[in-house]
Amino acid sequence: MSLRHFLDISELSRADLRTIMDDAHTMKRARAAALGGVEPDLDQKLARLAGMTGPTPYADFSGRVLAMIFEKPSTRTRISFDVAMRHLGGETLLLNRDDLQLGRGESIEDTAQVMSRYVDVVMLRVLKHETLTTFAAAAKVPVINGLSDRSHPCQIIADLMTLEETIGGVVAGRSIAWVGDSNNVATSFVHAAARLDFELRIGAPPELGPSPELLKWAQREGAAIRVHDTARAAVENADCVVTDTWVSMGDENAEARIAALTPFRVDADLMAHAAPNAIFLHCLPAYRGQEVTGDVIDGPRSRVFDEAENRLHAQKAILAWCLRREADHQEAAA
Ligand code: CP
Ligand code: NVA
């Protein structure tokens, strides 16, 4: 049976990514219903989005265990995966690298083989993307990328969910402006643009723009990506404006980065150039006064706490996709 690793959105088919997105909407609706009340307008929108592939019959995780290994800090990823498993009947193990023999030099491959004998799925947050791919190549259970220096695919499911539930339809044909450092989160946005047919405009200083390899990949895949050297050009009439910290975990030269990125701060003047109903997103943690001003992130267009909540629903959909039996995948594809 082939394993369903969730390592990068670029590795997913369009159909699989759409299934995960639709299931994430379904999970959100199911949770709201279980809590006894759904805001009618949101419920209608979620029903429309969730209805595209029908309900998910695969999300009973009882008897299943998710192990999570963290090489870097986390609030949202750690808690949302933990709670997602619990809501659906599963259990979790939270592990810091240094608590494992990994921290004393045991190989990644041996660790992956051993853990595969105990748990059903492993999520890793790693310093180097290669750690993730090495682990996945040796693992006998699905492996999920909980953020690496290269990408952050789980985040993008929640971000696109947030835009879709705001507009009440799919993201295809919409435009998203990424403003600031072309970092790991931006890379996953590029991957998603190629699979879900939205336009991505990146506004970044040339030295912190997307790599030529990533842009070549996007071109080969037919993604609509435009790179601009001003924030204003990127956000013009966009449906969604997104930014992230200017100094990611593991980044060096903070001062030089901040100096280069200062013209790319998202403030109210910049938001005025986006579409009239445009929303603002940020994966969090945010640094108010640096990449975004307080009036924008705490203002009426900001959806950052819906976005953070959506990590919970997205993780359920990602876990369900990873844990489905092969026969279920074949049935879903038929
Ligand atoms: N957005 C995000 O991944 O947050 P954490 O680093 O808190 O997990
Ligand atoms: N780009 C940020 C995202 C944090 C969730 C980082 O890697 O630190």
Side-chain angles (χ1 to χ4, degrees), residues 93-220:
L93 289 173
L94 268 171
L95 308 163
N96 290 321
R97 182 194 167 98
D98 289 344
D99 297 334
L100 301 171
Q101 297 287 8
L102 254 183
R104 292 182 63 244
E106 185 169 17
S107 74
I108 296 164
E109 291 90 336
D110 284 0
T111 307
Q113 295 231 40
V114 170
M115 287 183 69
S116 299
R117 302 290 179 108
Y118 301 140
V119 305
D120 301 277
V121 51
V122 183
M123 190 229 78
L124 295 100
R125 171 166 285 195
V126 294
L127 293 163
K128 297 235 167 304
H129 192 78
E130 201 190 339
T131 304
L132 191 70
T133 49
T134 306
F135 193 102
K140 303 282 184 279
V141 296
V143 173
I144 296 172
N145 176 0
L147 181 145
S148 72
D149 55 341
R150 170 184 149 102
S151 53
H152 195 5
C154 297
Q155 181 67 50
I156 268 42
I157 305 294
D159 291 13
L160 296 178
M161 263 185 89
T162 311
L163 181 55
E164 289 195 341
E165 73 186 20
T166 304
I167 58 186
V170 295
V171 76
R174 300 292 177 144
S175 56
I176 298 180
W178 175 275
V179 179
D181 183 21
S182 295
N183 61 14
N184 44 4
V185 181
T187 295
S188 290
F189 263 112
V190 171
H191 293 161
R195 296 287 177 267
L196 294 180
D197 303 319
F198 59 88
E199 184 192 12
L200 182 68
R201 294 98 161 268
I202 300 176
E207 65 274 32
L208 294 171
S211 69
E213 297 74 40
L214 180 62
L215 291 177
K216 261 188 227 140
W217 177 89
Q219 199 178 19
R220 270 202 315 274

Side-chain angles (χ1 to χ4, degrees), residues 3-22:
L3 289 171
R4 305 275 161 179
H5 295 311
F6 186 83
L7 300 181
D8 258 323
I9 287 175
S10 54
E11 295 176 7
L12 297 180
S13 68
R14 285 165 179 265
D16 279 345
L17 182 55
R18 196 60 250 172
T19 296
I20 293 169
M21 290 289 302
D22 294 349

